[in-house]
């Protein structure tokens, strides 16, 4: 059964607060290379996917929940930085923070809906299962580029971790061998498209 609307209204912002706050705790307490999983666009996107998966039904509900999750997570992250590290709290209203919130709106809609679609059938299920894998593959490509150029030689460990998580998501979310194989095939071009988009935005 899908969660009640009242429960979702409570869970989405609380989960967002925990995502942002614990993300900062993670990157400051967990050793590398696993610390990189905290400050990770892929991890945040997959969190919205997981929330959509929990919502089960109702693409609009999942989209709104995903947006709330990721938008709330941004100020929560900076609040943790203020409380635990003494950073300036005013950064919450900085342009860079607002940009991340805008990205959170886009990612929340896409991955929140994907979480619901992953329980459906046909091409929607395949694309939905491929999306969380694709973001991990795309992130692995960025780490590979850092390692290759010598900017961060230890990034090869992060490449292995991200690719392992991509495979794990496909295995866990795909409900059959056929869906898993199709999703793995779709994830690769999606990851390439994401890399191009990320490079355009970042560059």
């Amino acid at each position: 059964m899908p969660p009640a609307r009242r429960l979702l209204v409570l869970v989405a912002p609380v989960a967002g607060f925990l995502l942002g706050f614990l993300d900062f705790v993670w990157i400051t307490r967990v050793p590398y290379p696993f610390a990189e999983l905290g400050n990770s666009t892929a991890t945040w996107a997959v969190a919205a996917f997981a929330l959509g998966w929990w919502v089960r039904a109702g693409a609009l509900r999942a989209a709104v929940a995903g947006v709330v999750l990721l938008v709330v997570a941004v100020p929560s992250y900076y609040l943790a930085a203020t409380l635990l590290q003494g950073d300036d709290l005013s950064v919450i209203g900085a342009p860079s923070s607002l940009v991340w919130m805008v990205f959170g709106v886009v990612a929340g809609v896409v991955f929140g809906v994907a979480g619901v679609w992953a329980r459906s059938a046909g091409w929607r299920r395949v694309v939905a299962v491929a999306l969380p894998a694709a973001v991990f593959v795309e992130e692995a490509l960025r780490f590979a580029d850092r390692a290759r150029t010598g900017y961060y030689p230890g990034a090869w460990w992060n490449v292995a971790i991200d690719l392992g998580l991509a495979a794990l998501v496909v295995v866990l979310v795909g409900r059959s061998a056929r869906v898993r194989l199709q999703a793995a095939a779709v994830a690769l071009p999606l990851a390439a498209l994401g890399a191009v988009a990320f490079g355009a935005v970042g560059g």
Side-chain angles (χ1 to χ4, degrees):
M1 291 289 292
R5 184 174 300 177
R6 290 182 180 179
L7 179 60
L8 187 57
V9 168
L10 174 64
V11 168
V14 170
F17 177 83
L18 292 175
L19 174 63
F21 200 95
L22 294 179
D23 180 275
F24 187 83
V25 173
W26 180 278
I27 66 174
T28 55
R29 301 292 189 271
V30 175
Y32 286 89
F34 295 101
E36 294 285 2
L37 288 174
N39 202 9
S40 160
T41 53
T43 300
W44 283 41
V46 173
F49 176 88
L51 184 60
W53 174 269
W54 177 71
V55 170
R56 299 181 67 91
L60 180 59
R61 295 173 68 210
V64 173
V67 169
V68 171
L69 172 81
L70 297 183
V71 170
V72 170
V74 175
S76 175
Y77 175 92
Y78 291 115
L79 175 62
T82 298
L83 296 177
L84 302 178
Q85 191 171 276
D87 288 4
D88 190 347
L89 188 60
S90 64
V91 72
I92 291 178
S96 58
S97 301
L98 299 179
V99 168
W100 281 115
M101 290 182 195
V102 171
F103 288 159
V105 171
V106 176
V109 170
V110 172
F111 287 91
V113 172
V116 172
W117 280 11
R119 293 182 178 273
S120 64
W123 67 269
R124 290 185 178 184
R125 178 190 293 182
V126 173
V127 172
V129 175
L131 272 170
V135 291
F136 278 122
V137 173
E138 186 279 327
E139 189 170 77
L141 292 174
R142 281 186 278 132
F143 277 122
D145 184 61
R146 294 182 191 180
R148 181 182 56 82
T149 57
Y151 175 74
Y152 178 18
W156 288 118
W157 285 108
N158 297 107
V159 172
I161 291 170
D162 276 342
L163 292 180
L165 289 173
L168 182 62
V169 167
V170 170
V171 170
L172 292 179
V173 180
R175 296 183 180 182
S176 67
R178 180 180 180 180
V179 170
R180 290 165 184 157
L181 289 173
Q182 291 174 331
V186 172
L188 297 178
L190 284 179
L193 182 62
V196 172
F198 202 99
V201 172

